[in-house]
Amino acid sequence: MSSPSDFVKMLLAVAGYKYQPLGQPRTIRLLTLLPLDPGSKDPNRIDATLREVPLDSKPDYEALSYVWDPWETKKSDFVFIDNQPLLVKENCHAALVHLRHASRNRVLWVDAVCIDQTSKAERTQQVQLMADIYAQADKAVEGASEASQMHLAKERYQGWTDTRKFLAYQWNPFSSLSISRWFKRAWTLQEVAFAREAVIHVGRTTLRWTTFVLAINLLQRVEDAAGQHGTICEMHSSMSMHVAVRDLVRPRETRVEPLANEITSLLSKAYTMEATIPVDRIFSLHGVLARLGLTLGPPDYDRPVEEVFTEAARLAIEHDQSLKTLNFVNGLEDRPSWPSWVPTWHVRQPSAPLKSGAWHAAGSETGPIFSFSPDGKKLRVFGRVIDSIARRSEKSPFLGQRVYGEALTMLQPYLHAEAVEAWLEWIRLWYLGLRREGGWRKYGTGPAVAYDAFYNTLLQEHSFISPNDKEKDFLDRSREGFMVWQGLFGAGVNKDGPAKRGLSMRDIRAMLPPETMRPDWVDYEHQEWDGRDKEKVLASNEWLISRAIHTNHPALCFHQNAHLRNKAKCFIMTTEGYMGTAPNSVTAGDEIILVPGLEYPLSVRPLGPGGQYHLLGPVYIQGIMRGEAWKDEPDELRAFTFV
C-alpha cells in the first residue's frame, strides 16, 4: 500500500483525532495498542484507543521510550485512534509496529501520543508527572525501530561475566543502535532513572538493561585497549551517566557510588543531549531534581530559554559549592541577553571540555569564592591575571560539525580536508614559536622539548586516559603515532618543494595507492569546498595527508584522540611564551586568569573599567596546569564580575 503524500497527510491531520482536555492535574492518557486486523491490507497500520486514567489509581501499563532521531524529524506516519488519524514521527510509529502484540492488546504510555503536543499548558502539566509515570510503569521499554544485530547480542552477552572471554571477541553488535541516538535524547536520563525495570527493545528482541550495561562496559575496554575512541566510547560515556543518575535518585544510604558535584554533573550531561525544544534539556530533569529536594520551579514553556538555563547554572554552582560548570562555557555564540558564565549548548559542536579532576592550576587548598548579583545574572569571583593570548590559530578542527561515531566516513573528504587544513595551521604556528628568539623558552631549549610540549598540549598529557591504561606500551604507541602524524603534516607544510628534513608531498603521493574514489561518491550538501569543486578536493594535499593518516594505525589513533580533545578549539601562543588550546572564541589580547577552587585557567575579555568581564571559557596551558603559576597569596586576588 503506498503511503499518502505530504499534502494528503496534512489534510488528514487537520481533520483527524482531536484531544479532549485532561480533567484533573494528576490524570494521564494511556494508549491501548490493538492487534493488527487480519483483514487489513496494510501490515504497518496502527489502530489504538486512548483513555484518561488517574495516575494515583495505579493502572497497569508500560512506558515507551522510543528512539528520537533529530535527523528524521520531517518524516511522519499515522496512528489511528478510534479510527481517527493522528500524525506522529516515523520513529514513534515504527516502535509501535514492533511493540504490537499479534493477538492481544498492549497498554502503553507514549509521550508523543498520550500528551497533546499542541497544548503548552498540558505539556507543562504532564512534564511534572514524568518521574511518577516512569516510576509507576510495570516496565520501561527502551524501544528502537531497527532490528540490527541485537538478537546476536542477546545470545552472546546474556549472563556473560568473563571479561577475558569478551575481550577476545572484539565484536560490536550495537553499532546500529548507537547510531540511532537513543542515548542522546534528553528525556532518557529521567526515564531510565525512575523505571522499576528497564529493557532495551530493538525490532522484536529485548535485552535487560543490566545486561546491556555489562556489554557496553566490556566493549569499551576493547576500544580502550586498542587506543581508539569511537562509537562505543561515546555510548559508554552516555550510558555511564544514565547509570549514575539511576543511582542518584535512590535513597542516599543505598547509593552504590556518590556522584561528585552532582548537579553540575547532571546538568553538564543534559546540556549536551538532544531536545526538540532547548529548555527540555532542563525540564527533563524536573523529577530528578525534585527527588533530591531541589527545584527550579514548575516547567514553563513560556519562559525565555536564557532565563531557564541561567537559573539552572546558578543552582549547580550554589548547591555543589563549585565553579565546575564554567568548564562548559565556550563563548562560541554571541547572545547579548545571555550571561557569559552560563553555558549555551546551542552550537552543534560544543568545545571539548577539559578533563575534570585532572588539574589544579590554581592550587588545591583554597575553595571557590563567588557571589551573584541580586538579579542572578552576574557572577562575581576572585582570581589573578597570569598571562594573555599573544596569537591564535584561525582554524579549528571540526568547528560546527557534529561527528556521530562512524558518521565521518571516507566518503566525506571535504570534512577530512578541512580538519587537515586546521592542523596544518596549528603546526605552522608551533613552528613559528620554535623559530622565534628563544623558541618555546618555557619548556627548555632545543626542538626535542618543544616536540614534547606540543605532543602533550594536543593530548592534554593523556589526562583523559584512565590510570590503568597509562602503561608504557600504550604511551609508546601514542608517541609513535604522533611522530608519524607530525611527519605527514610536515610534508603539508613543506608543500611540493624538496623537504629539508622528513617527507614531502611527492613522497606521500608515491607511497599511496591510486585514488579509487570518484567525485560523484563524495557525500556533502554544497557543491564547493572553499571555492574548490569535488575533483579539486580529491586532488588536494589535505586529502592526500588524510588518506596517508588512515593507512597508518598509530597515526590514525593519535589523530582521532587529538580531534576529541580539541573540538572547536584553537592553538594559542601566550605573551609569557607558553603554548596551549582555547575555545575558538578567543582573540589576541584576551586575558588568562586563575580562580581559586577551579582546576583550569579561564580566558576572559575585559569590558572596560569597573572589573566586568566576558567569560570565554577554560583554556589548557602546557606547563601551568599543576599549579606552577599559582601563588597562594590571598591578598593579591581581585574581583572579576562575569556579565
Side-chain angles (χ1 to χ4, degrees):
M1 179 178 179
S2 61
S3 59
S5 67
D6 291 341
F7 179 71
V8 173
K9 284 183 178 180
M10 181 182 69
L11 292 178
L12 289 173
V14 170
Y17 183 78
K18 303 298 182 186
Y19 287 93
Q20 296 300 314
L22 291 169
Q24 299 295 326
R26 287 188 59 82
T27 59
I28 63 173
R29 298 185 187 91
L30 292 178
L31 179 75
T32 300
L33 199 58
L34 306 178
L36 180 65
D37 185 344
S40 175
K41 296 181 180 179
D42 182 2
N44 291 322
R45 178 184 168 100
I46 293 292
D47 283 288
T49 62
L50 270 180
R51 60 189 173 96
E52 182 179 335
V53 298
L55 183 58
D56 295 332
S57 68
K58 310 294 184 184
D60 294 326
Y61 64 94
E62 297 168 281
L64 173 62
S65 174
Y66 64 93
V67 174
W68 180 87
D69 190 339
W71 305 111
E72 301 296 335
T73 53
K74 294 183 179 180
K75 296 184 179 180
S76 57
D77 214 328
F78 285 110
V79 171
F80 289 88
I81 309 296
D82 296 325
N83 287 320
Q84 299 298 310
L86 176 68
L87 202 59
V88 298
K89 298 300 182 186
E90 185 181 53
N91 284 335
C92 176
H93 184 272
L96 293 176
V97 169
H98 287 301
L99 290 171
R100 177 176 53 195
H101 288 313
S103 57
R104 57 188 173 88
N105 295 347
R106 188 168 193 173
V107 181
L108 299 169
W109 183 88
V110 186
D111 59 352
V113 179
C114 297
I115 299 176
D116 182 358
Q117 299 296 327
T118 65
S119 170
K120 278 188 178 181
E122 183 170 311
R123 280 167 33 215
T124 296
Q125 181 261 334
Q126 291 284 287
V127 162
Q128 299 176 58
L129 301 178
M130 288 286 200
D132 290 341
I133 290 172
Y134 276 86
Q136 293 187 28
D138 300 325
K139 185 185 299 181
V141 182
E142 323 302 352
S145 60
E146 50 193 74
S148 71
Q149 302 182 61
M150 184 60 81
H151 63 289
L152 296 178
K154 183 176 182 180
E155 293 172 6
R156 296 185 179 185
Y157 298 143
Q158 195 82 40
W160 274 24
T161 57
D162 188 342
T163 302
R164 288 172 298 178
K165 179 180 179 182
F166 186 89
L167 290 174
Y169 229 96
Q170 296 195 19
W171 174 71
N172 176 14
F174 299 110
S175 57
S176 59
L177 182 61
S178 64
I179 295 172
S180 72
R181 309 307 306 155
W182 177 84
F183 271 115
K184 297 301 293 182
R185 283 186 64 238
W187 290 98
T188 59
L189 282 172
Q190 182 169 264
E191 292 164 359
V192 170
F194 287 101
R196 283 190 284 176
E197 179 186 0
V199 296
I200 303 294
H201 187 109
V202 180
R204 301 193 180 278
T205 305
T206 60
L207 192 69
R208 293 179 60 191
W209 170 256
T210 52
T211 305
F212 180 74
V213 170
L214 172 65
I216 297 300
N217 278 329
L218 295 176
L219 274 168
Q220 196 262 344
R221 295 186 189 182
V222 174
E223 283 200 345
D224 267 1
Q228 295 180 341
H229 298 269
T231 55
I232 289 297
C233 180
E234 182 182 355
M235 181 182 284
H236 181 269
S237 175
S238 295
M239 184 204 69
S240 297
M241 194 62 201
H242 283 73
V243 171
V245 176
R246 187 170 171 85
D247 187 55
L248 185 64
V249 300
R250 299 169 63 178
R252 189 173 295 273
E253 63 275 8
T254 66
R255 293 179 188 173
V256 176
E257 183 177 351
L259 183 64
N261 299 295
E262 55 189 20
I263 305 304
T264 302
S265 299
L266 189 62
L267 291 176
S268 67
K269 187 59 192 176
Y271 282 151
T272 61
M273 301 184 84
E274 302 286 357
T276 306
I277 304 172
V279 291
D280 273 346
R281 294 189 178 98
I282 307 300
F283 292 167
S284 63
L285 300 175
H286 176 81
V288 177
L289 294 173
R291 180 65 63 90
L292 297 174
L294 303 171
T295 181
L296 293 173
D300 182 354
Y301 286 96
D302 287 324
R303 291 181 67 190
V305 62
E306 63 269 19
E307 184 179 304
V308 175
F309 276 50
T310 299
E311 188 176 347
R314 178 174 178 173
L315 175 68
I317 292 172
E318 291 184 325
H319 177 272
D320 295 342
Q321 285 296 292
S322 167
L323 295 171
K324 288 183 182 291
T325 193
L326 304 185
N327 190 18
F328 302 95
V329 172
N330 56 48
L332 293 176
E333 289 186 286
D334 184 15
R335 291 175 173 262
S337 63
W338 199 297
S340 66
W341 56 272
V342 178
T344 57
W345 303 105
H346 283 256
V347 290
R348 293 192 59 78
Q349 180 70 332
S351 180
L354 298 177
K355 175 68 174 179
S356 180
W359 314 112
H360 46 89
S364 56
E365 302 299 325
T366 308
I369 306 171
F370 63 86
S371 61
F372 291 94
S373 61
D375 62 2
K377 294 182 178 181
K378 298 178 182 179
L379 171 63
R380 189 173 187 239
V381 303
F382 286 83
R384 181 184 298 116
V385 176
I386 60 163
D387 208 339
S388 63
I389 296 173
R391 190 162 180 172
R392 55 149 291 173
S393 64
E394 293 301 318
K395 297 182 181 296
S396 177
F398 292 131
L399 179 62
Q401 298 291 342
R402 180 176 286 279
V403 183
Y404 287 144
E406 299 301 322
L408 182 61
T409 67
M410 294 301 285
L411 290 180
Q412 295 172 313
Y414 73 104
L415 287 180
H416 290 278
E418 284 181 337
V420 168
E421 275 201 340
W423 289 121
L424 284 171
E425 190 196 2
W426 286 37
I427 292 173
R428 290 188 185 103
L429 195 55
W430 174 72
Y431 280 170
L432 178 64
L434 190 62
R435 292 195 300 268
R436 68 184 175 181
E437 183 179 355
W440 292 103
R441 59 186 182 275
K442 291 293 184 180
Y443 309 108
T445 58
V449 293
Y451 269 92
D452 283 342
F454 189 53
Y455 168 79
N456 285 319
T457 297
L458 296 185
L459 295 189
Q460 297 173 14
E461 296 190 20
H462 292 289
S463 60
F464 56 97
I465 301 296
S466 63
N468 293 336
D469 293 320
K470 289 183 177 178
E471 300 174 357
K472 187 176 185 303
D473 60 340
F474 177 87
L475 296 178
D476 285 347
R477 290 199 309 271
S478 179
R479 178 74 65 170
E480 176 192 352
F482 171 69
M483 297 305 292
V484 176
W485 183 87
Q486 65 88 22
L488 293 170
F489 277 98
V493 173
N494 292 323
K495 297 293 183 181
D496 283 312
K500 295 181 180 179
R501 49 192 289 179
L503 295 171
S504 70
M505 289 308 304
R506 292 174 184 173
D507 296 327
I508 292 181
R509 287 190 182 91
M511 73 170 64
L512 287 175
E515 176 65 81
T516 58
M517 184 178 294
R518 300 202 314 261
D520 57 315
W521 292 355
V522 175
D523 175 26
Y524 60 145
E525 296 179 1
H526 306 291
Q527 295 301 308
E528 292 186 346
W529 171 75
D530 277 0
R532 287 171 277 181
D533 58 24
K534 297 179 181 180
E535 289 84 353
K536 290 183 179 179
V537 171
L538 296 179
S540 67
N541 288 340
E542 292 81 11
W543 173 237
L544 290 174
I545 292 173
S546 182
R547 286 180 59 201
I549 290 172
H550 281 76
T551 63
N552 185 284
H553 182 69
L556 179 59
C557 287
F558 176 85
H559 189 64
Q560 292 173 335
N561 287 328
H563 274 310
L564 285 173
R565 295 303 98 203
N566 296 289
K567 293 182 296 185
K569 293 187 176 182
C570 62
F571 183 75
I572 60 172
M573 302 165 62
T574 77
T575 304
E576 294 293 324
Y578 290 102
M579 69 178 75
T581 60
N584 203 54
S585 53
V586 302
T587 62
D590 289 337
E591 295 178 350
I592 298 171
I593 69 172
L594 291 178
V595 176
L598 204 54
E599 305 168 62
Y600 27 77
L602 295 176
S603 52
V604 299
R605 184 169 299 155
L607 299 178
Q612 294 195 343
Y613 290 80
H614 186 89
L615 177 61
L616 301 166
V619 295
Y620 177 90
I621 306 295
Q622 180 64 27
I624 72 166
M625 300 301 289
R626 292 184 171 86
E628 295 91 337
W630 177 248
K631 297 178 181 179
D632 202 4
E633 299 174 359
D635 293 341
E636 294 187 8
L637 300 180
R638 65 181 180 86
F640 296 83
T641 300
F642 300 143
V643 299

